Amino acid sequence: MSDIFSGKLAVVGLGYIGLPTATVLATRGIQVTGVDINPKAVEAVSRGEVPFVEPDLAVAVSGAVAMGRLTASSSVPEADAYIIAVPTPFNPDHSADLSYVQAAAEQIAPRLRPGAIVVLESTSPPGTTEKVSRWIGDLRPDLHMPHNADTVADISVAHCPERVLPGRIMIEMITNDRLVGGLTPRCSERAATIYRVFAQGEILITDAASAEMAKLVENAYRDVNIAFANELSFIAEALRLDVWEVIRLANRHPRVDILKPGPGVGGHCIPVDPWFIVAAAPELARLIRTAREINDRKPHHVAEQVVAKAQRFRSPTVACLGLTFKANVDDIRQSPAIEVVGLIAEALPDVEILLADPYVPSIPPKLARYDNLRMAQAADAVERADIIVLLVEHEAFRPLRHTIFNGKVVYDTRGAWR
Ligand SMILES: NC(=O)c1ccc[n+]([C@@H]2O[C@H](COP(=O)([O-])OP(=O)(O)OC[C@H]3O[C@@H](n4cnc5c(N)ncnc54)[C@H](O)[C@@H]3O)[C@@H](O)[C@H]2O)c1
């Protein structure tokens, strides 16, 4: 068995994770087919274009496509290895919605030949990688699958969670340490051959369920720490203290490093993944659940504050700066900023609300039903508004801190203009 994978590979799901993964492998000489059910993603990648913003990705995709190493398709081809990078949202009861993963496994199953490797990269609750093996086994009784420990498996199935930071994906995909958890030690070893193609970080071999849980724990750790900062912001406000000053002082202790409060927690991962732990151990995951609740409460609190400030004006204009879930990316999934805007728009239907975000060209679908919202340039919005709410600390908003805000109310939820 070679240490480094050199066969054909298919990546199922060409989103924020799948497309960079496909591209990084293709630029290192692997023949990669990217598969997506969204025809727009397939068309864009086929033209060598990227359907979203991620630094350094566009040039890598256009190079990989021009070299003929990366192609895109709406159907799963035959390959020596498959990486699944489809969404894993949660259901209304906060359990994981594995329907995309199951659909991907079922698309791969008919194509599998003995010797193939299947890696699940999607963030998943413990036991999902084993389910992938079972779903494939149900459709392919001719193949020995590794969840049947008593057989020598024909197919290797493993989990390799992704822990990149949007905005730094092309760097972190290479430099981060990777966890590779197979259903058997041989599955781990074979899956690791794929990551040796490009990973400069260490490849840590483990079992599938530990790899699944480790990824969830990483995001729950972040969530709990952000919840601590957000809880401090509630307490400081009630005690009429400046939370930023309190945190600045506390962080001068050599073993204290409190994160920053904000308008809530967004994105595809941190507000979602801790719930998978809560669903797996509802009686035990008390701190993790409470942290989720604190962070989910924050957008409501920010909106309530803005509504209270608006009472001081006869007919105020509100400017909301930033709509993405974090700074300097175009990702609006689960964005607390959008939730804040929706709550203000709902509570103040007669108030004009100006939205400015250099990464969001038009009103996001979730806000389409409010007719008191207008997109604006940030400088214009600030000039026209009576109340300015900074929701995302985009670099582009930094110069605005020098604006003279005569008579305007400024609500800086990120502490960026201090
Ligand atoms: N975005 C991140 O920063 C990040 C970081 C770490 C882990 N993850 C995890 O990675 C996984 C993927 O996340 P993402 O951000 O890339 O999602 P995404 O929504 O950007 O991309 C997923 C893609 O999969 C496609 N898809 C869905 N079902 C499919 C199917 N059956 N066959 C082919 N394509 C299909 C969608 O059309 C979409 O283009 C999730 O589990 C997520 O939690 C994401």
Side-chain angles (χ1 to χ4, degrees), residues 213 274-291:
M213 188 64 176
W275 285 121
F276 298 172
I277 301 179
V278 176
E283 300 298 323
L284 300 172
R286 290 159 52 196
L287 180 62
I288 295 171
R289 176 197 292 273
T290 303

Side-chain angles (χ1 to χ4, degrees), residues 5 76 82 110-111 161 243 247 255 325 342 384 386 392 398-399:
F5 180 82
V76 175
Y82 299 85
R111 300 285 178 206
V243 70
I247 291 176
R255 284 168 298 283
F325 89 85
R384 287 183 48 204
D386 304 295
V392 184
R398 192 182 280 266

Side-chain angles (χ1 to χ4, degrees), residues 23-312:
T23 308
V24 162
L25 284 158
T27 52
R28 278 156 182 78
I30 303 293
Q31 193 63 44
V32 182
T33 307
V35 182
D36 207 292
I37 47 169
N38 177 356
K40 285 196 180 132
V42 173
E43 284 158 24
V45 175
S46 299
R47 287 192 304 269
E49 291 165 13
V50 180
F52 51 87
V53 176
E54 177 61 37
D56 303 330
L57 180 59
V59 64
V61 169
S62 74
V65 171
M67 281 190 326
R69 290 283 182 209
L70 175 63
T71 55
S73 169
S74 52
S75 59
V76 175
E78 273 199 10
D80 302 297
Y82 299 85
I83 291 178
I84 300 173
V86 296
T88 42
F90 57 60
N91 293 310
D93 68 352
H94 291 135
S95 63
D97 171 1
L98 298 179
S99 59
Y100 298 91
V101 175
Q102 182 168 1
E106 289 173 356
Q107 286 159 251
I108 291 169
R111 300 285 178 206
L112 284 175
R113 293 180 304 229
I117 306 168
V118 178
V119 178
L120 174 66
E121 280 208 13
S122 302
T123 306
S124 304
T128 310
T129 309
E130 189 177 321
K131 283 185 180 156
V132 167
S133 181
R134 288 181 190 280
W135 287 324
I136 292 172
D138 288 347
L139 294 174
R140 292 292 303 272
D142 56 312
L143 293 173
H144 289 299
M145 296 303 293
H147 63 271
N148 296 317
D150 55 338
T151 63
V152 179
D154 291 321
I155 307 294
S156 296
V157 183
H159 181 54
C160 180
E162 187 50 78
R163 54 238 295 239
V164 286
L165 184 71
R168 282 177 51 85
I169 291 181
M170 296 306 279
I171 300 165
E172 292 203 356
M173 190 158 277
I174 310 292
T175 56
N176 285 355
D177 292 344
R178 294 301 291 244
L179 314 181
V180 177
L183 287 181
T184 65
R186 183 176 141 80
C187 292
S188 306
E189 240 341 289
R190 298 205 60 230
T193 64
I194 299 172
Y195 295 93
R196 288 200 193 103
V197 172
F198 63 88
Q200 289 169 7
E202 201 175 325
I203 295 173
L204 302 158
I205 301 289
T206 182
D207 61 278
S210 297
E212 290 162 336
M213 188 64 176
K215 165 70 193 178
L216 303 182
V217 165
E218 289 162 19
N219 282 338
Y221 172 86
R222 298 279 301 161
D223 201 43
V224 167
N225 279 280
I226 298 168
F228 182 72
N230 279 336
E231 184 165 281
L232 289 181
S233 75
F234 292 131
I235 295 168
E237 205 176 284
L239 301 182
R240 297 185 180 281
L241 290 166
D242 175 351
V243 70
W244 307 101
E245 178 66 359
V246 172
I247 291 176
R248 183 181 77 84
L249 296 172
N251 278 348
R252 295 299 291 268
H253 182 289
R255 284 168 298 283
V256 173
D257 189 9
I258 303 168
L259 301 181
K260 284 190 193 166
V265 171
H268 199 165
C269 296
I270 298 181
V272 178
D273 304 348
W275 285 121
F276 298 172
I277 301 179
V278 176
E283 300 298 323
L284 300 172
R286 290 159 52 196
L287 180 62
I288 295 171
R289 176 197 292 273
T290 303
R292 270 292 65 246
E293 288 166 356
I294 290 168
N295 288 335
D296 276 353
R297 169 83 194 112
K298 198 66 202 284
H300 295 266
H301 182 76
V302 171
E304 285 158 14
Q305 296 287 307
V306 174
V307 171
K309 291 176 199 304
Q311 309 309 326
R312 293 188 221 159

